[in-house]
Amino acid sequence: IGTLSVQAQLVPIHYTSPKECGFELDYPGDWVMVSTDDPTSCRVWLRPRDFVDRMKERDVDVYTLEVSPERGEFLEVAARNFFDFYRGKWVMLGRFGIRTDAEVVTLGHWYGVRGEALVSCFHDSGGNAGLCEEPVLVLRDDDGNVWSIRGGPQSGPLFDMILATFRFIGL
């Protein structure tokens, strides 16, 4: 019986956003979708099912992944999310002026950049917890729609799963 419940948690859950948001994705069964204060914002957060227990241990949110529409032009949103086009290639701008390579990605008629941002992490109770690498993706389409996906340092496998299953629908 214990094996069945563990296997059941590993079955991906399919999420389809409300029609006005126009996206769908899969996420692991041992993660949960966290609601936002504004149901019309199209922003979703994903966290491990045992997030509260993990936060008691670490007091640093290194797990939460956010998928959200962005306001503004692609280059403005990319810059807000630590991307820069430097010497002919996309890079991530991190703490202390550190630049790391970013990659160009394509999802159907959407295209953008993906990288790992080196940012400060903070304890939930206050204070700097050190440096963290966070996966970041910024996408746009030919109509000017811009979206981002940002994850905590421990959300890498979830980030990859969402990127592999993320689809824009009905836009």
Side-chain angles (χ1 to χ4, degrees), residues 125-137:
S125 58
N128 192 320
L131 296 177
C132 296
E133 289 185 1
E134 295 183 352
V136 181
L137 172 73

Side-chain angles (χ1 to χ4, degrees), residues 24-39:
E24 62 184 3
L25 55 86
D26 291 344
Y27 62 94
D30 56 349
W31 285 64
V32 295
M33 187 80 62
V34 180
S35 63
T36 64
D37 294 337
D38 180 4

